[in-house]
Amino acid sequence: MRELVLSVIAFLAYSLASTGYAQDWSFAIGPGVTQYLGDVNDQKLGGNRWAINAEGWYRLTDNLHIKSGVSLYQLSAQDADPVRLRSFRSTNFEFYSSAMYSFKRGFFTPFAYAGLGATTSSPRGDSRLGYFNLRDVEPEAERVPGLVGMIPFGVGVDYELTPVLSLVVDLALRYTFSDRLDAMRREMITVDDLSPLAREYYAALSEEQARAINEESFLRGGNSANNDLYGILSVKVRFTPTSALFGCVDPYKYARPTHKRKVKNYKPL
Protein backbone atom coordinates (compact mmCIF):
# COMPACT_ATOMS: atom_id res chain seq x y z
CA MET A 1 0.00 0.00 0.00
CA ARG A 2 2.82 2.39 0.84
CA GLU A 3 4.37 1.78 -2.61
CA LEU A 4 1.00 2.48 -4.26
CA VAL A 5 0.55 5.78 -2.44
CA LEU A 6 4.11 6.89 -3.19
CA SER A 7 3.60 6.06 -6.87
CA VAL A 8 0.43 8.15 -7.04
CA ILE A 9 2.10 11.10 -5.26
CA ALA A 10 5.11 10.89 -7.58
CA PHE A 11 2.86 10.88 -10.64
CA LEU A 12 0.92 13.91 -9.37
CA ALA A 13 4.16 15.75 -8.60
CA TYR A 14 5.52 15.02 -12.07
CA SER A 15 2.30 16.27 -13.67
CA LEU A 16 2.39 19.53 -11.71
CA ALA A 17 6.12 20.00 -12.25
CA SER A 18 5.63 19.87 -16.01
CA THR A 19 3.41 22.98 -15.94
CA GLY A 20 6.25 25.12 -17.23
CA TYR A 21 6.36 23.05 -20.44
CA ALA A 22 2.58 22.74 -20.77
CA GLN A 23 0.73 24.30 -23.68
CA ASP A 24 -2.79 23.16 -22.80
CA TRP A 25 -3.62 23.26 -19.09
CA SER A 26 -7.13 23.83 -17.72
CA PHE A 27 -8.62 23.71 -14.22
CA ALA A 28 -12.05 22.57 -12.99
CA ILE A 29 -13.86 22.84 -9.66
CA GLY A 30 -17.38 22.16 -8.45
CA PRO A 31 -19.74 20.39 -6.02
CA GLY A 32 -21.04 16.85 -6.19
CA VAL A 33 -23.14 14.11 -4.62
CA THR A 34 -21.73 10.78 -3.38
CA GLN A 35 -23.25 7.33 -2.98
CA TYR A 36 -21.80 4.28 -1.26
CA LEU A 37 -21.97 0.54 -1.91
CA GLY A 38 -20.73 -1.93 0.70
CA ASP A 39 -21.57 -4.45 3.40
CA VAL A 40 -23.54 -2.03 5.58
CA ASN A 41 -26.18 -1.28 2.92
CA ASP A 42 -26.18 -4.83 1.49
CA GLN A 43 -24.21 -3.93 -1.69
CA LYS A 44 -26.73 -1.35 -2.93
CA LEU A 45 -25.76 2.18 -3.94
CA GLY A 46 -27.31 4.77 -1.65
CA GLY A 47 -26.80 7.33 1.09
CA ASN A 48 -26.58 10.67 -0.73
CA ARG A 49 -23.92 12.92 0.79
CA TRP A 50 -21.89 15.95 -0.40
CA ALA A 51 -18.55 16.31 -2.18
CA ILE A 52 -16.31 19.07 -3.56
CA ASN A 53 -13.91 18.22 -6.40
CA ALA A 54 -11.03 20.09 -8.08
CA GLU A 55 -9.01 18.91 -11.07
CA GLY A 56 -6.20 19.92 -13.41
CA TRP A 57 -6.45 18.75 -17.05
CA TYR A 58 -3.42 18.52 -19.32
CA ARG A 59 -3.94 18.07 -23.05
CA LEU A 60 -1.58 15.54 -24.68
CA THR A 61 -3.38 15.29 -28.05
CA ASP A 62 -6.73 16.40 -29.45
CA ASN A 63 -8.35 13.33 -27.87
CA LEU A 64 -6.10 12.35 -24.96
CA HIS A 65 -5.74 14.17 -21.62
CA ILE A 66 -4.20 13.50 -18.24
CA LYS A 67 -6.41 14.75 -15.41
CA SER A 68 -5.37 14.82 -11.77
CA GLY A 69 -7.69 15.77 -8.96
CA VAL A 70 -8.56 15.93 -5.28
CA SER A 71 -11.93 15.62 -3.53
CA LEU A 72 -13.28 16.25 -0.05
CA TYR A 73 -16.36 14.08 0.37
CA GLN A 74 -18.67 12.26 2.77
CA LEU A 75 -20.02 8.71 2.78
CA SER A 76 -22.99 7.45 4.76
CA ALA A 77 -25.05 4.26 4.95
CA GLN A 78 -27.89 3.00 7.11
CA ASP A 79 -27.50 -0.64 8.09
CA ALA A 80 -29.86 -2.87 6.09
CA ASP A 81 -29.83 -5.43 8.96
CA PRO A 82 -32.34 -4.46 11.69
CA VAL A 83 -30.40 -6.45 14.31
CA ARG A 84 -26.81 -5.57 13.42
CA LEU A 85 -27.41 -1.76 13.37
CA ARG A 86 -23.88 -0.83 12.28
CA SER A 87 -24.70 2.36 10.36
CA PHE A 88 -21.73 4.63 9.63
CA ARG A 89 -20.65 8.02 8.32
CA SER A 90 -17.24 9.30 7.23
CA THR A 91 -15.59 12.44 5.86
CA ASN A 92 -12.68 11.57 3.57
CA PHE A 93 -10.09 13.10 1.25
CA GLU A 94 -9.03 11.50 -2.05
CA PHE A 95 -6.41 12.18 -4.73
CA TYR A 96 -5.92 10.54 -8.13
CA SER A 97 -4.61 10.76 -11.70
CA SER A 98 -6.38 9.39 -14.76
CA ALA A 99 -5.90 8.97 -18.49
CA MET A 100 -8.91 10.50 -20.27
CA TYR A 101 -10.08 10.00 -23.86
CA SER A 102 -12.46 12.57 -25.35
CA PHE A 103 -13.98 13.36 -28.74
CA LYS A 104 -15.54 16.70 -29.64
CA ARG A 105 -19.06 16.97 -31.09
CA GLY A 106 -19.74 20.65 -31.70
CA PHE A 107 -19.89 22.40 -28.34
CA PHE A 108 -20.14 19.01 -26.55
CA THR A 109 -17.11 16.87 -25.69
CA PRO A 110 -17.99 13.44 -24.23
CA PHE A 111 -15.16 11.70 -22.38
CA ALA A 112 -14.24 8.54 -20.48
CA TYR A 113 -11.34 7.90 -18.12
CA ALA A 114 -9.63 5.47 -15.75
CA GLY A 115 -6.67 5.86 -13.42
CA LEU A 116 -5.15 5.26 -10.01
CA GLY A 117 -5.54 7.01 -6.66
CA ALA A 118 -5.99 6.73 -2.92
CA THR A 119 -8.49 7.88 -0.31
CA THR A 120 -8.43 8.41 3.42
CA SER A 121 -10.87 6.37 5.51
CA SER A 122 -12.37 7.66 8.76
CA PRO A 123 -15.59 5.74 9.50
CA ARG A 124 -17.70 6.73 12.51
CA GLY A 125 -20.34 4.34 13.82
CA ASP A 126 -23.76 5.63 14.85
CA SER A 127 -25.21 4.47 18.18
CA ARG A 128 -27.62 5.42 20.96
CA LEU A 129 -24.72 7.28 22.64
CA GLY A 130 -23.61 9.18 19.54
CA TYR A 131 -20.83 8.43 17.08
CA PHE A 132 -17.81 6.19 17.76
CA ASN A 133 -14.51 6.49 15.87
CA LEU A 134 -14.41 3.00 14.34
CA ARG A 135 -10.67 3.12 13.69
CA ASP A 136 -10.21 3.32 17.46
CA VAL A 137 -13.00 0.86 18.22
CA GLU A 138 -11.86 -1.89 15.80
CA PRO A 139 -15.36 -3.48 15.89
CA GLU A 140 -14.13 -6.72 14.29
CA ALA A 141 -10.93 -6.97 16.34
CA GLU A 142 -8.91 -6.05 13.23
CA ARG A 143 -7.19 -2.84 12.18
CA VAL A 144 -9.29 -0.42 10.10
CA PRO A 145 -6.95 1.22 7.53
CA GLY A 146 -6.71 4.99 7.39
CA LEU A 147 -5.51 5.13 3.76
CA VAL A 148 -6.88 2.95 0.96
CA GLY A 149 -5.88 2.60 -2.70
CA MET A 150 -8.57 2.89 -5.35
CA ILE A 151 -9.22 2.88 -9.10
CA PRO A 152 -11.21 5.90 -10.34
CA PHE A 153 -13.13 5.48 -13.60
CA GLY A 154 -16.06 7.24 -15.17
CA VAL A 155 -17.70 9.11 -18.03
CA GLY A 156 -18.86 12.66 -18.57
CA VAL A 157 -19.45 15.51 -20.94
CA ASP A 158 -17.83 18.94 -21.30
CA TYR A 159 -20.02 21.73 -22.72
CA GLU A 160 -18.17 24.78 -24.07
CA LEU A 161 -19.78 28.00 -22.83
CA THR A 162 -17.01 30.28 -24.15
CA PRO A 163 -13.50 29.58 -25.46
CA VAL A 164 -12.33 30.06 -21.85
CA LEU A 165 -15.12 28.51 -19.74
CA SER A 166 -16.99 25.22 -20.01
CA LEU A 167 -19.43 23.22 -17.87
CA VAL A 168 -18.45 19.65 -16.95
CA VAL A 169 -20.81 16.91 -15.78
CA ASP A 170 -18.79 13.96 -14.43
CA LEU A 171 -20.15 10.59 -13.27
CA ALA A 172 -17.37 8.69 -11.47
CA LEU A 173 -17.00 5.43 -9.59
CA ARG A 174 -14.19 4.50 -7.20
CA TYR A 175 -13.34 0.82 -6.79
CA THR A 176 -11.32 0.53 -3.59
CA PHE A 177 -8.71 -2.06 -2.63
CA SER A 178 -10.39 -2.55 0.73
CA ASP A 179 -13.58 -3.94 2.26
CA ARG A 180 -13.27 -1.75 5.37
CA LEU A 181 -14.40 1.74 4.39
CA ASP A 182 -17.39 0.98 6.61
CA ALA A 183 -15.23 -0.97 9.13
CA MET A 184 -17.14 -4.14 8.22
CA ARG A 185 -15.68 -7.22 6.52
CA ARG A 186 -15.70 -10.37 8.69
CA GLU A 187 -18.77 -12.56 8.44
CA MET A 188 -18.50 -13.76 12.04
CA ILE A 189 -16.87 -11.78 14.87
CA THR A 190 -15.43 -13.56 17.90
CA VAL A 191 -16.68 -11.80 21.03
CA ASP A 192 -13.68 -12.82 23.14
CA ASP A 193 -11.37 -10.95 20.72
CA LEU A 194 -13.13 -7.61 21.22
CA SER A 195 -11.52 -4.79 23.20
CA PRO A 196 -13.38 -3.03 26.04
CA LEU A 197 -14.05 -0.08 23.72
CA ALA A 198 -15.51 -2.40 21.08
CA ARG A 199 -17.76 -4.00 23.70
CA GLU A 200 -18.92 -0.53 24.75
CA TYR A 201 -19.69 0.29 21.11
CA TYR A 202 -21.80 -2.84 20.58
CA ALA A 203 -23.63 -2.28 23.86
CA ALA A 204 -24.51 1.22 22.67
CA LEU A 205 -26.06 -0.07 19.45
CA SER A 206 -29.09 -1.76 21.03
CA GLU A 207 -30.19 -3.80 24.02
CA GLU A 208 -30.09 -6.92 21.84
CA GLN A 209 -26.45 -6.32 20.89
CA ALA A 210 -25.59 -5.60 24.52
CA ARG A 211 -27.08 -8.95 25.49
CA ALA A 212 -25.28 -10.72 22.63
CA ILE A 213 -21.76 -9.63 23.67
CA ASN A 214 -22.42 -11.02 27.16
CA GLU A 215 -24.16 -14.25 26.17
CA GLU A 216 -23.01 -15.18 22.65
CA SER A 217 -19.63 -16.37 21.35
CA PHE A 218 -20.00 -14.73 17.93
CA LEU A 219 -21.62 -11.67 16.36
CA ARG A 220 -22.88 -11.42 12.80
CA GLY A 221 -20.75 -9.20 10.55
CA GLY A 222 -20.63 -8.50 6.82
CA ASN A 223 -19.62 -10.18 3.58
CA SER A 224 -15.94 -10.62 2.78
CA ALA A 225 -16.55 -11.43 -0.90
CA ASN A 226 -16.68 -7.85 -2.27
CA ASN A 227 -14.61 -4.72 -1.83
CA ASP A 228 -16.27 -1.37 -1.13
CA LEU A 229 -17.18 1.08 -3.88
CA TYR A 230 -18.42 4.66 -3.96
CA GLY A 231 -19.53 7.06 -6.67
CA ILE A 232 -19.43 10.83 -7.18
CA LEU A 233 -21.68 12.79 -9.54
CA SER A 234 -20.16 16.26 -9.88
CA VAL A 235 -20.90 19.43 -11.84
CA LYS A 236 -17.84 21.61 -12.39
CA VAL A 237 -16.78 24.79 -14.13
CA ARG A 238 -13.61 24.35 -16.19
CA PHE A 239 -11.34 27.31 -16.90
CA THR A 240 -8.68 27.44 -19.62
CA PRO A 241 -6.11 30.18 -18.76
CA THR A 242 -4.97 32.68 -21.38
CA SER A 243 -1.37 32.97 -22.52
CA ALA A 244 -0.98 36.13 -20.41
CA LEU A 245 -1.54 34.14 -17.22
CA PHE A 246 0.13 30.75 -17.49
CA GLY A 247 1.79 30.49 -20.89
CA CYS A 248 -0.99 28.33 -22.25
CA VAL A 249 -2.42 28.39 -25.75
CA ASP A 250 -4.53 31.48 -26.37
CA PRO A 251 -8.09 30.12 -26.13
CA TYR A 252 -9.45 32.91 -28.36
CA LYS A 253 -7.52 31.63 -31.36
CA TYR A 254 -10.44 29.32 -32.12
CA ALA A 255 -12.85 32.28 -32.26
CA ARG A 256 -10.81 34.51 -34.60
CA PRO A 257 -11.67 34.52 -38.33
CA THR A 258 -9.02 32.76 -40.43
CA HIS A 259 -9.90 34.18 -43.88
CA LYS A 260 -7.82 37.01 -45.32
CA ARG A 261 -9.30 40.24 -46.62
CA LYS A 262 -9.92 40.11 -50.35
CA VAL A 263 -7.58 42.36 -52.35
CA LYS A 264 -9.09 44.35 -55.23
CA ASN A 265 -7.46 43.79 -58.62
CA TYR A 266 -7.23 47.46 -59.68
CA LYS A 267 -5.14 50.45 -58.71
CA PRO A 268 -6.65 53.68 -57.45
CA LEU A 269 -6.37 56.82 -59.66
Side-chain angles (χ1 to χ4, degrees):
M1 178 58 64
R2 179 177 299 177
E3 289 76 10
L4 171 65
V5 173
L6 290 176
S7 299
V8 172
I9 293 175
F11 187 83
L12 287 170
Y14 173 78
S15 298
L16 294 175
S18 62
T19 306
Y21 305 98
Q23 294 299 312
D24 286 290
W25 275 95
S26 60
F27 305 91
I29 188 169
V33 177
T34 67
Q35 289 202 333
Y36 173 77
L37 183 151
D39 295 336
V40 168
N41 59 5
D42 200 21
Q43 305 295 325
K44 297 177 182 178
L45 276 172
N48 293 334
R49 303 300 296 176
W50 59 265
I52 182 73
N53 175 252
E55 292 182 329
W57 294 19
Y58 177 56
R59 175 183 175 276
L60 297 174
T61 70
D62 288 340
N63 302 109
L64 187 62
H65 291 71
I66 295 293
K67 71 178 188 126
S68 301
V70 295
S71 302
L72 180 65
Y73 67 97
Q74 279 193 343
L75 298 177
S76 178
Q78 295 296 314
D79 199 334
D81 190 317
V83 176
R84 193 174 53 191
L85 297 177
R86 287 177 58 187
S87 300
F88 88 103
R89 178 180 297 182
S90 64
T91 301
N92 301 329
F93 175 82
E94 67 170 15
F95 53 94
Y96 57 88
S97 280
S98 303
M100 180 176 72
Y101 184 83
S102 63
F103 46 98
K104 192 172 181 65
R105 294 291 184 270
F107 291 105
F108 290 91
T109 304
F111 59 84
Y113 60 91
L116 188 65
T119 178
T120 61
S121 177
S122 56
R124 296 185 300 147
D126 195 6
S127 76
R128 296 180 296 175
L129 301 180
Y131 283 95
F132 282 74
N133 184 333
L134 297 182
R135 292 192 62 208
D136 295 334
V137 170
E138 296 185 352
E140 298 183 345
E142 291 183 355
R143 186 182 70 87
V144 178
L147 188 65
V148 174
M150 55 91 170
I151 297 176
F153 59 95
V155 296
V157 63
D158 179 288
Y159 178 69
E160 182 180 335
L161 300 173
T162 73
V164 176
L165 295 176
S166 61
L167 187 67
V168 179
V169 179
D170 190 332
L171 177 60
L173 291 176
R174 313 295 202 234
Y175 176 82
T176 70
F177 300 149
S178 172
D179 191 21
R180 291 192 180 280
L181 286 188
D182 50 12
M184 183 183 296
R185 185 186 70 88
R186 297 180 63 179
E187 297 180 7
M188 299 300 295
I189 304 162
T190 304
V191 173
D192 289 342
D193 293 340
L194 296 176
S195 67
L197 181 58
R199 288 172 175 268
E200 179 183 345
Y201 164 67
Y202 281 108
L205 294 178
S206 68
E207 293 182 3
E208 186 170 357
Q209 288 285 55
R211 179 194 59 79
I213 61 172
N214 291 319
E215 300 179 3
E216 305 292 337
S217 299
F218 299 94
L219 299 175
R220 185 166 67 246
N223 184 352
S224 60
N226 301 301
N227 285 356
D228 295 330
L229 181 148
Y230 63 96
I232 302 178
L233 173 62
S234 59
V235 178
K236 294 169 280 196
V237 174
R238 185 167 69 93
F239 170 63
T240 302
T242 65
S243 57
L245 292 176
F246 293 103
C248 298
V249 170
D250 181 0
Y252 291 101
K253 72 177 183 180
Y254 302 107
R256 292 177 182 146
T258 56
H259 62 275
K260 295 182 179 180
R261 184 177 181 182
K262 189 175 181 179
V263 179
K264 297 180 180 180
N265 57 0
Y266 64 86
K267 294 181 179 182
L269 295 176

